[in-house]
């Protein structure tokens, strides 16, 4: 967060440090411990007549609240990181609003080029992206490049394509390509991120028309497409040891199996997230923080989980990470070697731990509201797919019995 400016009588202060900024970024101090970010636009002046009959300059200003919030006094690393990311986003919005103002007032902006290479534009979008799904965006760009390379009709665009050359027919062919090469909800996930970039290009006047309009990939969101590890298979993993295995990967994945965390959340956990006296884990989900009022999650910890977490050593601080994990790809390779060595014939990714946790506690009698709360879901819609998975497992269990003959 920027250094605090003088708070004015209306409980606002200006964050922008450049006097030439238009609009200027500022914040309003709220009574609930937050600060609401806004933009103040200077729209020139006009001559007006006062009640006394004197002529004066009437300044025209406009204020736009961004619906983005900072913590007034961040107390944890999570809150400080949240402030940093929110402020970066607000500055990007301020810059773009300034460009729009220049264009409307002067007829120009710093960059308005529809002849650029969309592949390079996509890459630049990724380079400036601050959210946690950046890996998925990179994978989407690679899929689009692969599509151009592997589709005879479009190979001429493999090294470069202008935004206007991306047609509706091309997008239809791209969605078909995704569906032919992706399993589960993968095709939809890639396409959603592709649409995110095209929408951004349209908003910034790089594209004139949206080539994705009316084109969809339909999937049943209530079907659980990831593999599930049963409690027996979890025990197989626990019993399987390998001297070459990264012990941090082992600890973190077992923790996720018993708490339902995503990889992006478990890798950022610090000892500050653990309330040892009350045996609770408290954290904000990276996927939804800053976008949902229900991003906070509280999970009760039993003695086994507390032993798995441990306590900070003499060299560690309270904000040290609990699990010193390598990158996602390294973690996944280590995990899949472990699964194979345990004799489990399933394709297991890190996210399978979250699904396995939900299905296993539902199987053991937990109600759906409890599961939704532990997973950090804002409603029951996303949790209902696990009940369908439980029903399928029960049906398979019944069908595994010998046929009843009488």
């Amino acid at each position: 967060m920027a250094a605090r400016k003088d708070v004015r009588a209306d409980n606002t202060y200006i964050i922008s440090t450049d006097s030439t900024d238009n609009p200027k970024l500022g914040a309003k101090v709220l009574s609930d411990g937050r600060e609401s970010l806004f933009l103040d636009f200077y729209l020139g002046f006009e001559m007006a007549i006062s009640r006394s009959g004197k002529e004066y300059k009437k300044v025209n200003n406009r204020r736009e609240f961004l619906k983005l919030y900072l913590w007034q006094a961040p107390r944890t690393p999570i809150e400080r990181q949240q402030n940093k990311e929110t402020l970066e986003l607000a500055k990007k919005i301020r810059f773009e609003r300034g460009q729009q103002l220049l264009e409307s007032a002067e007829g120009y902006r710093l960059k308005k080029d529809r002849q650029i290479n969309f592949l390079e534009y996509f890459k630049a979008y990724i380079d400036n992206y601050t959210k946690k799904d950046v890996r998925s965006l990179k994978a989407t760009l690679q899929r689009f490049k692969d599509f151009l390379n592997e589709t005879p009709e479009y190979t001429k665009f493999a090294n470069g394509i202008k935004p206007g050359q991306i047609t509706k027919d091309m997008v239809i062919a791209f969605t078909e390509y995704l569906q032919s090469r992706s399993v589960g909800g993968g095709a939809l996930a890639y396409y959603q991120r592709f649409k995110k970039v095209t929408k951004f290009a349209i908003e910034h006047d790089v594209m004139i028309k949206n080539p994705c309009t009316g084109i969809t990939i339909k999937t049943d969101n209530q079907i659980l497409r990831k593999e599930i590890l049963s409690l027996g298979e979890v025990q197989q993993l626990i019993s399987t040891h390998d001297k070459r295995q990264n012990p941090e990967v082992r600890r973190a994945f077992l923790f996720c199996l018993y708490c339902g965390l995503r990889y992006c959340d478990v890798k950022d956990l610090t000892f500050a997230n653990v309330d040892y006296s009350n045996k609770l884990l408290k954290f904000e989900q990276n996927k939804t923080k800053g976008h949902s009022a229900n991003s906070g999650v509280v999970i009760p910890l039993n003695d086994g989980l507390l032993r798995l977490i441990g306590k900070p050593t003499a060299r560690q601080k309270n904000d040290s990470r609990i699990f010193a994990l390598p990158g996602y790809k390294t973690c996944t390779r280590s995990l899949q070697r472990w699964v194979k060595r345990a004799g489990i014939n399933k394709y297991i990714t890190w996210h399978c731990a979250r699904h396995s946790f939900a299905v296993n506690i539902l199987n053991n009698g937990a109600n759906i509201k409890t599961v939704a709360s532990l997973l950090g879901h804002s409603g029951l819609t996303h949790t209902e797919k696990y009940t369908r998975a439980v029903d399928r497992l029960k049906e398979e269990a019944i069908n595994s019995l010998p046929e009843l003959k009488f």
Side-chain angles (χ1 to χ4, degrees):
M1 179 178 168
R4 173 62 61 90
K5 303 297 180 182
D6 293 333
V7 177
R8 302 177 292 199
D10 62 350
N11 283 334
T12 65
Y13 67 93
I14 297 300
I15 295 174
S16 293
T17 55
D18 190 335
S19 60
T20 64
D21 281 354
N22 187 23
K24 286 183 168 58
L25 178 63
K28 182 177 180 64
V29 179
L30 305 178
S31 60
D32 63 358
R34 299 182 302 164
E35 296 174 353
S36 178
L37 297 177
F38 63 79
L39 297 175
D40 272 349
F41 294 78
Y42 171 69
L43 304 176
F45 66 89
E46 59 187 27
M47 301 307 297
I49 305 296
S50 68
R51 291 182 178 179
S52 61
K54 291 184 178 180
E55 190 177 42
Y56 71 99
K57 290 182 179 179
K58 181 181 178 182
V59 176
N60 293 320
N61 291 327
R62 177 170 66 85
R63 175 168 293 177
E64 175 190 356
F65 280 95
L66 299 178
K67 296 181 180 179
L68 297 174
Y69 303 91
L70 302 175
W71 297 103
Q72 287 179 30
R75 293 173 295 178
T76 66
I78 290 175
E79 289 181 352
R80 287 191 287 273
Q81 182 63 23
Q82 194 172 351
N83 272 11
K84 180 182 177 181
E85 292 176 359
T86 302
L87 197 55
E88 286 176 358
L89 175 60
K91 287 178 178 179
K92 288 179 181 178
I93 295 172
R94 190 217 68 76
F95 177 79
E96 179 54 31
R97 294 289 195 276
Q99 294 300 295
Q100 292 170 354
L101 199 63
L102 277 175
E103 187 174 20
S104 62
E106 308 292 340
Y108 72 91
R109 60 191 286 138
L110 293 183
K111 188 172 183 178
K112 181 182 177 181
D113 187 359
R114 297 186 186 125
Q115 302 305 309
I116 61 173
N117 182 349
F118 182 76
L119 301 178
E120 293 177 358
Y121 182 82
F122 202 135
K123 176 65 167 57
Y125 178 89
I126 292 171
D127 291 342
N128 290 292
Y129 196 74
T130 58
K131 295 181 182 178
K132 297 292 181 178
D133 62 337
V134 66
R135 284 187 301 104
S136 299
L137 273 171
K138 290 178 181 177
T140 301
L141 175 57
Q142 187 57 53
R143 286 288 170 123
F144 186 57
K145 287 180 177 179
D146 292 343
F147 159 73
L148 294 175
N149 272 303
E150 296 172 23
T151 309
E153 185 179 352
Y154 301 119
T155 50
K156 60 185 178 183
F157 299 120
N159 295 319
I161 182 169
K162 296 175 184 177
Q165 291 174 318
I166 302 175
T167 64
K168 182 164 283 193
D169 286 342
M170 180 185 287
V171 174
I172 291 171
F174 181 46
T175 59
E176 292 171 351
Y177 174 87
L178 289 175
Q179 290 176 93
S180 68
R181 284 161 176 76
S182 302
V183 295
L188 177 60
Y190 289 130
Y191 184 49
Q192 285 174 334
R193 285 164 178 82
F194 181 80
K195 288 194 294 183
K196 179 184 284 191
V197 179
T198 56
K199 181 181 178 183
F200 185 85
I202 289 164
E203 290 173 348
H204 292 75
D205 211 18
V206 172
M207 275 184 168
I208 300 175
K209 293 182 179 180
N210 190 341
C212 301
T213 300
I215 303 170
T216 60
I217 292 179
K218 294 183 179 180
T219 182
D220 185 351
N221 292 325
Q222 293 303 305
I223 294 178
L224 190 60
R225 302 177 188 279
K226 296 279 187 181
E227 294 274 24
I228 300 297
L229 289 169
S230 68
L231 291 175
E233 289 168 332
V234 171
Q235 194 56 51
Q236 280 180 250
L237 283 179
I238 294 173
S239 302
T240 302
H241 296 273
D242 184 349
K243 291 180 180 179
R244 296 173 299 172
Q245 185 184 27
N246 185 324
E248 295 297 294
V249 172
R250 179 185 178 88
R251 289 173 59 230
F253 189 72
L254 289 176
F255 189 79
C256 291
L257 282 168
Y258 279 83
C259 290
L261 272 69
R262 301 178 182 90
Y263 170 81
C264 63
D265 291 325
V266 75
K267 75 178 180 65
D268 287 343
L269 282 185
T270 68
F271 292 101
N273 293 121
V274 184
D275 180 348
Y276 288 93
S277 59
N278 293 305
K279 295 185 176 181
L280 296 173
L281 178 71
K282 302 176 182 179
F283 68 97
E284 274 205 278
Q285 301 172 92
N286 282 312
K287 184 177 180 180
T288 56
K289 72 178 181 181
H291 308 286
S292 169
N294 297 296
S295 62
V297 180
V298 178
I299 298 175
L301 299 172
N302 57 32
D303 291 338
L305 289 170
L306 286 170
R307 284 195 298 272
L308 199 59
I309 292 170
K311 289 188 176 181
T313 64
R315 293 183 178 182
Q316 293 175 316
K317 297 180 180 179
N318 211 33
D319 60 356
S320 296
R321 291 188 177 180
I322 295 171
F323 304 104
L325 290 172
Y328 180 79
K329 287 184 178 179
T330 303
C331 283
T332 300
R333 285 195 295 266
S334 178
L335 169 62
Q336 290 173 351
R337 284 196 299 268
W338 182 20
V339 170
K340 184 177 180 180
R341 189 174 179 84
I344 299 170
N345 188 26
K346 290 181 177 179
Y347 180 72
I348 300 298
T349 64
W350 203 280
H351 209 67
C352 293
R354 182 171 173 85
H355 295 319
S356 301
F357 166 77
V359 171
N360 286 330
I361 61 173
L362 278 169
N363 256 333
N364 278 0
N367 66 63
I368 190 171
K369 287 187 177 180
T370 300
V371 177
S373 176
L374 290 170
L375 293 175
H377 290 166
S378 57
L380 300 181
T381 304
H382 294 297
T383 321
E384 286 172 350
K385 63 186 175 184
Y386 297 114
T387 62
R388 287 177 61 175
V390 169
D391 291 340
R392 179 176 54 81
L393 290 172
K394 288 178 179 177
E395 183 180 343
E396 289 174 357
I398 293 295
N399 290 338
S400 68
L401 294 170
E403 184 181 353
L404 181 62
K405 297 180 180 179
F406 57 90

